[in-house]
Amino acid sequence: MAKPTTRYVCQSCGSVFPKWAGRCDGCGEWNTLIEEAAPDSAPKGLGVGKGRRLEFVGLSGASEPAPRRMTGIAEFDRVCGGGLVPGSAVLIGGDPGIGKSTLLLQAVGRLAQDWRCAYVSGEEAVDQVRLRAQRLGCAAAPVDLASATNVRDIVATLDGGDCPGIIVIDSIQTMYVDTLDSAPGTVAQVRASAQELIRVAKRRGVVLLLVGHVTKEGMIAGPRVLEHMVDTVLYFEGERGHQFRILRAVKNRFGPTDEIGVFEMGDAGLSEVANPSALFLAERRGDVSGAAVFAGMEGTRPVLVEVQALVAPSPLGTPRRAVVGWDSGRLAMVLAVLEARCGVQIGANDVYLNVAGGLKVTEPAADLAVAAALVSSLTGEPVPPDAVVFGEIGLSGEVRAVSQTDTRLKEAAKLGFSTAVIPARRSGGKGDTSLRTVELHHLGELMPLFQTDGGQRGRGR
Ligand code: TYD
Ligand code: MG
């Protein structure tokens, strides 16, 4: 039977099909199948008895801790797990225009003082990158700059005598391997290009920094298809309208994940935000209703953010629930618990929830702060402006303990808060902070904090 000469590859999940279809059976995405030339030969079976026996070793043994290359940008180094590891591949994903090129140009600008650094741009011409470097104030750094897209040339450069210690590829979606027929940006090209680059980086001990654009339409492959190939995956997030940018580690073979670095985008590029809590709370007005300060943890670091809620009568038959920066399913749960266990009537109102500053909060510990903001908005009574709130809420309305209570309290004390509304502590360990703590066993105990509560208190416990 004649072999098919083309195949259809999903640009979202990489599944391969012999026929085109509107919807990928693999991941369910629409319009993501792209025609590609099938590879010339199918992989052959290995046969029996041709390999070498493996030499196994014990789990313990002498091994060097990975040496690190520090950028000097503390927020970046911490997210990487304490600097960049030679021979590792780091993927930096994010929406177009969020600041990935800016961040990496600033990073190599610093690194170039100690190591040879190369910056290969497939998106911008040399002049454009130079202009940007001038604007960022790093034009004098001895960075090797090139505009190239052919992976064969980059591999030859890395394999050559004078190999750089750090190389940035901006972006992987513009690179192509000339042995493949498919266009740059397709899954096949993105994977093959990354594979070649990672292989040579490992062989030569080069730090490989790959930029990957996140795409909504799927016509170019997103960075997800590369996540399993690289050692570290960082996502650069933020709202386009805000100046804050958050670098988040989602996978790291050389350090902890869930660590964040906070940056501020300004006229001269990205600057580090060493104290994000102060920044997130900078525009806070303490005496308004519907706002509660949540003492959260991001990785190893405490971060205080303001949770804002607006509960307003709805003109619609089905009231709206809109959430920015938190999980909408979790909001629905908190609303249901408030109604069913505390008798708070929210049902017919629109509910809007916002985490100020553009941070995305994922911790269940924010439940209590969300509940406080909701009740405050409903009653019109502000949460005491000197109070921070945290705690997880269970379905029966119980307030559950969360981790790192003392770290959260210390940060709150440092920022001038004097009260903390928190889950009841079992051990009686009060920490050494000067904060007055209001300890709750049940969500219903939150209501007395609001002087008037519309007579809705005390039902359903
Ligand atoms: P860029 O790094 O090009 O984004 P990406 O590589 O992720 O696509 O960032 C571009 C945005 O950053 C652009 O909207 C302009 C803004 N910007 C500043 O505000 N200040 C600066 O100093 C620079 C260099 C960019
Ligand atoms: Mg860019």
Side-chain angles (χ1 to χ4, degrees):
M1 200 180 88
K3 271 200 308 184
T5 53
T6 58
R7 57 186 195 160
Y8 296 86
V9 182
C10 172
Q11 303 301 295
S12 175
C13 70
S15 302
V16 179
F17 303 94
K19 278 194 181 150
W20 188 85
R23 184 165 186 260
C24 169
D25 278 344
C27 63
E29 291 285 327
W30 289 90
N31 289 328
T32 54
L33 297 198
I34 298 264
E35 185 174 357
E36 279 182 11
D40 287 343
S41 57
K44 295 192 181 73
L46 287 174
V48 181
K50 291 185 185 159
R52 245 182 332 115
R53 276 183 70 104
L54 300 179
E55 300 275 340
F56 290 105
V57 293
L59 280 177
S60 64
S63 58
E64 298 270 308
R68 303 281 183 160
R69 294 180 183 170
M70 309 293 276
T71 61
I73 304 174
E75 297 288 300
F76 187 83
D77 289 335
R78 200 189 48 252
V79 175
C80 296
L84 298 162
V85 179
S88 70
V90 182
L91 174 69
I92 291 132
D95 291 328
I98 203 75
K100 302 181 292 297
S101 308
T102 308
L103 177 69
L104 291 180
L105 195 55
Q106 283 182 265
V108 289
R110 298 273 197 102
L111 284 162
Q113 283 149 19
D114 300 318
W115 286 278
R116 272 204 61 206
C117 294
Y119 187 100
V120 179
S121 178
E123 299 192 338
E124 291 165 299
V126 165
D127 286 343
Q128 275 174 295
V129 182
R130 280 185 177 157
L131 269 178
R132 185 194 296 246
Q134 267 170 22
R135 192 169 158 188
L136 299 175
C138 59
V143 176
D144 295 338
L145 173 64
S147 178
T149 51
N150 191 337
V151 172
R152 190 186 290 274
D153 301 342
I154 301 170
V155 170
T157 313
L158 290 181
D159 256 342
D162 198 10
C163 163
I166 290 138
I167 186 165
V168 175
I169 306 290
D170 187 3
S171 65
I172 189 65
Q173 284 126 337
T174 55
M175 299 294 145
Y176 73 96
V177 177
D178 53 19
T179 50
L180 281 183
D181 285 338
S182 30
T186 53
V187 167
Q189 281 291 7
V190 167
R191 273 203 192 138
S193 305
Q195 218 154 30
E196 291 294 333
L197 292 166
I198 291 168
R199 199 178 300 149
V200 65
K202 294 241 181 284
R203 197 167 62 230
R204 302 297 310 253
V206 179
V207 179
L208 177 68
L209 296 163
L210 296 172
V211 172
H213 293 297
V214 171
T215 57
K216 301 269 186 299
E217 293 79 25
M219 291 318 278
I220 55 172
R224 289 207 170 263
V225 297
L226 298 181
E227 279 185 356
H228 65 283
M229 294 165 66
V230 297
D231 301 301
T232 303
V233 179
L234 311 178
Y235 274 97
F236 207 32
E237 324 171 327
E239 301 288 326
R240 203 66 81 78
H242 283 290
Q243 70 270 40
F244 312 128
R245 300 282 184 272
I246 289 149
L247 187 67
R248 193 184 287 277
V250 295
K251 162 180 173 178
N252 196 349
R253 287 193 183 137
F254 306 109
T257 51
D258 292 333
E259 202 63 74
I260 65 163
V262 184
F263 297 89
E264 193 172 357
M265 179 67 94
D267 288 340
L270 293 157
S271 48
E272 294 175 66
V273 177
N275 188 348
S277 306
L279 187 81
F280 288 134
L281 298 180
E283 287 163 41
R284 191 171 77 99
R285 286 180 50 211
D287 55 348
V288 290
S289 63
V293 177
F294 166 54
M297 294 295 300
E298 290 288 347
T300 54
R301 191 161 57 160
V303 175
L304 268 56
V305 284
E306 189 180 43
V307 176
Q308 302 174 330
L310 180 63
V311 179
S314 179
L316 307 168
T318 312
R320 290 191 63 161
R321 306 277 186 253
V323 191
V324 178
W326 207 48
D327 180 34
S328 54
R330 201 89 202 162
L331 171 66
M333 189 207 83
V334 172
L335 288 172
V337 173
L338 277 171
E339 292 228 5
R341 307 289 182 192
C342 309
V344 177
Q345 309 281 321
I346 294 182
N349 291 300
D350 284 338
V351 176
Y352 301 91
L353 191 83
N354 178 35
V355 177
L359 188 72
K360 284 196 183 71
V361 175
T362 50
E363 273 190 291
D367 291 351
L368 196 58
V370 170
L374 289 168
V375 176
S376 165
S377 174
L378 189 70
T379 59
E381 281 296 317
V383 177
D386 64 343
V388 294
V389 186
F390 60 86
E392 187 179 341
I393 297 173
L395 287 183
S396 61
E398 81 275 20
V399 178
R400 297 170 153 253
V402 298
S403 63
Q404 320 236 41
T405 299
D406 286 341
T407 318
R408 296 172 201 259
L409 291 179
K410 266 191 200 131
E411 177 78 358
K414 208 166 84 191
L415 282 151
F417 288 88
S418 55
T419 309
V421 182
I422 61 173
R425 286 190 277 184
R426 263 163 292 159
S427 60
K430 303 288 179 209
D432 55 0
T433 60
S434 54
L435 262 74
R436 184 175 73 90
T437 53
V438 179
E439 303 193 11
L440 308 184
H441 292 91
H442 191 275
L443 189 54
E445 295 159 23
L446 186 68
M447 305 308 153
L449 292 181
F450 303 95
Q451 286 141 19
T452 59
D453 63 1
Q456 294 162 332
R457 187 191 313 177
R459 224 187 66 191
R461 261 196 75 180

